[in-house]
Amino acid sequence: MRLGPFVLPSRLFVAPMAGVTDRPFRQLCRRLGAGYAVSEMVTSRRDLWASLKTSRRTDHTGEPGPIAVQIAGTDAAMMAEAAAYNIDRGAQIIDINMGCPAKKVCNVFAGSALMRDERLALAIIDAVVGASAARGVPVTLKMRTGWSADQRNAVALARQAESAGIAMVTVHGRTREQGFKGEAEYATVAEVKAAVRIPVVANGDIDSPRKAREVLERTGADALMIGRAAQGRPWIFRDIARYLATGKEVAAPTTREVRGWLTEHLHDHYALYGEASGVRSARKHIGWAVRALPGGEAFRQAMNTIERCEEQVRAVGAWFDALAEHHERLPLPRPAGAANDDDLVMSA
Ligand SMILES: Cc1cc2nc3c(=O)[nH]c(=O)nc-3n(C[C@H](O)[C@H](O)[C@H](O)COP(=O)(O)O)c2cc1C
């Protein structure tokens, strides 16, 4: 799949998730089959760029390209300036956030709230495309299906965005009003795909290889974006890729493989955040990794009392070693509708 001058190695993307998809997590997902990863959103507020949080988000050291940075804001000139700022710091693709329902974002009329004001949305798109095109950088757009059930304007906005020079659009199959409630619908995503010639990415509730195939079939989308299902399960990209290629369900990874990936992730995480902050923010990744496993909940709680990185990584290693004694493969609950064991392809 092509995006501007880039050829992406796979059409499975990891969704931007603030507080989750930092550089270490993006790199892990990429190693495990994600073909593309967008950074957590960076504010267009210049006064916050020097903050520790934003400077971490704009540091792409060692990240494989293309480096895609998502920006969020409400003012066209500030958004253009944010695009230029991030391009100067290594961004090779700029993504505009019109999909995030977070209060912090929507109260100031950014994120998915922009879908309610098409004129402002278009002014922002024009300004960001102008600033980025001058530097040879493509701009993409991430949005929802609309503001509310009776204001589902994703098709109209996607058409206008395409005319304004947007290179790819991602649609999360929910309205802003829905937040994360209900189920994602894919009919609007299919309408967007039929309405534009630029690549369209389908997003929302893709949590298994079967669901991935179903969403591809129902939308005709060029690519899929996966968010929450990758939390604690970053190998989902590899599983989906294999299933799409072979039509066969993939066995769970071995417990030792997962131990290795998590350990590697924790070391990268500590390197970015440092000891005090890293040990705390790593807890959520550990929690997601163990939550569905036998004894996982008790271990997750025990993790909260550990305050040193070295001790945390040691405890994680020991816990997975003990699990591996009884389970060669990760004992995950079977997803609804999964095939028989006979259909499993062993991932040696
Ligand atoms: C914790 C969290 C943080 C998110 N942060 C962002 C963000 O910074 N920018 C954005 O466009 N979407 C953000 N999203 C939305 C996701 O990118 C994605 O559109 C949504 O989770 C639906 O996909 P999923 O069902 O695969 O999770 C966030 C979602 C979650 C759960």
Side-chain angles (χ1 to χ4, degrees):
M1 176 176 163
R2 289 197 79 89
L3 174 51
F6 303 103
V7 178
L8 305 180
S10 131
R11 56 181 170 162
L12 303 174
F13 301 174
V14 54
M17 290 182 283
V20 182
T21 50
D22 51 17
R23 179 160 44 92
F25 188 75
R26 296 197 297 275
Q27 280 175 302
L28 179 67
C29 291
R30 278 182 144 142
R31 277 204 298 279
L32 294 175
Y36 181 64
V38 184
S39 75
E40 309 163 272
M41 66 185 151
V42 172
T43 174
S44 61
R45 279 180 52 189
R46 179 186 256 283
D47 56 318
L48 297 177
W49 290 344
S51 71
L52 186 56
K53 184 164 143 184
T54 301
S55 52
R56 276 194 188 121
R57 287 185 182 184
T58 52
D59 173 3
H60 305 286
T61 313
E63 187 163 7
I67 291 166
V69 173
Q70 185 183 68
I71 56 173
T74 55
D75 178 274
M78 282 166 72
M79 286 287 273
E81 209 187 335
Y85 176 83
N86 281 286
I87 293 168
D88 290 345
R89 268 150 199 80
Q92 296 167 299
I93 295 167
I94 293 290
D95 185 55
I96 302 176
N97 180 343
M98 283 191 200
C100 190
K103 273 229 166 67
K104 204 158 80 175
V105 177
C106 279
N107 277 354
V108 292
F109 213 69
S112 50
L114 283 175
M115 293 192 73
R116 203 164 50 165
D117 185 344
E118 283 183 25
R119 259 187 37 185
L120 177 58
L122 258 293
I124 288 176
I125 290 171
D126 279 338
V128 173
V129 169
S132 307
R135 293 166 172 80
V137 168
V139 179
T140 60
L141 180 66
K142 181 161 177 289
M143 61 178 170
R144 289 189 165 225
T145 54
W147 173 260
S148 60
D150 53 3
Q151 286 180 63
R152 237 189 269 266
N153 57 344
V155 172
L157 197 54
R159 277 208 183 102
Q160 297 173 80
E162 178 179 40
S163 304
I166 288 289
M168 178 174 84
V169 60
T170 300
V171 187
H172 173 192
R174 285 188 176 84
T175 61
R176 154 69 180 84
E177 204 175 57
Q178 278 178 290
F180 283 91
K181 289 197 285 292
E183 287 182 7
E185 55 93 4
Y186 306 108
T188 308
V189 184
E191 284 173 35
V192 171
K193 171 62 193 163
V196 296
R197 296 166 70 99
I198 51 175
V200 173
V201 186
N203 169 238
D205 295 355
I206 301 167
D207 58 0
S208 69
R210 282 174 181 245
K211 185 75 181 268
R213 187 173 69 180
E214 180 197 323
V215 174
L216 274 179
E217 285 170 0
R218 284 171 63 179
T219 59
D222 301 279
L224 299 176
M225 181 178 272
I226 294 143
R228 289 165 297 169
Q231 294 173 352
R233 238 175 95 200
W235 59 88
I236 189 171
F237 301 99
R238 191 184 74 163
D239 288 0
I240 293 176
R242 286 189 192 169
Y243 182 68
L244 293 178
T246 65
K248 299 206 171 168
E249 297 276 352
V250 178
T254 67
T255 305
R256 294 209 178 277
E257 271 179 311
V258 175
R259 179 198 195 280
W261 295 328
L262 186 54
T263 305
E264 220 176 304
H265 180 200
L266 289 175
H267 285 299
D268 288 350
H269 189 92
Y270 305 147
L272 180 63
Y273 295 101
E275 173 94 25
S277 174
V279 74
R280 291 198 170 86
S281 52
R283 286 176 190 154
K284 61 177 176 273
H285 292 283
I286 299 169
W288 288 326
V290 303
R291 65 184 160 189
L293 301 173
E297 181 50 28
F299 180 65
R300 192 188 64 77
Q301 283 180 27
M303 273 293 95
N304 292 337
T305 60
I306 295 181
E307 297 288 350
R308 293 188 54 84
C309 297
E310 205 182 305
E311 203 185 325
Q312 187 180 55
V313 77
R314 208 175 325 118
V316 166
W319 192 81
F320 275 91
D321 283 343
L323 188 70
E325 282 179 23
H326 301 283
H327 302 278
E328 193 205 340
R329 286 184 183 276
L330 215 59
L332 288 169
R334 299 180 63 72
N340 296 326
D341 282 347
D342 305 347
D343 287 336
L344 296 182
V345 175
M346 289 303 170
S347 55

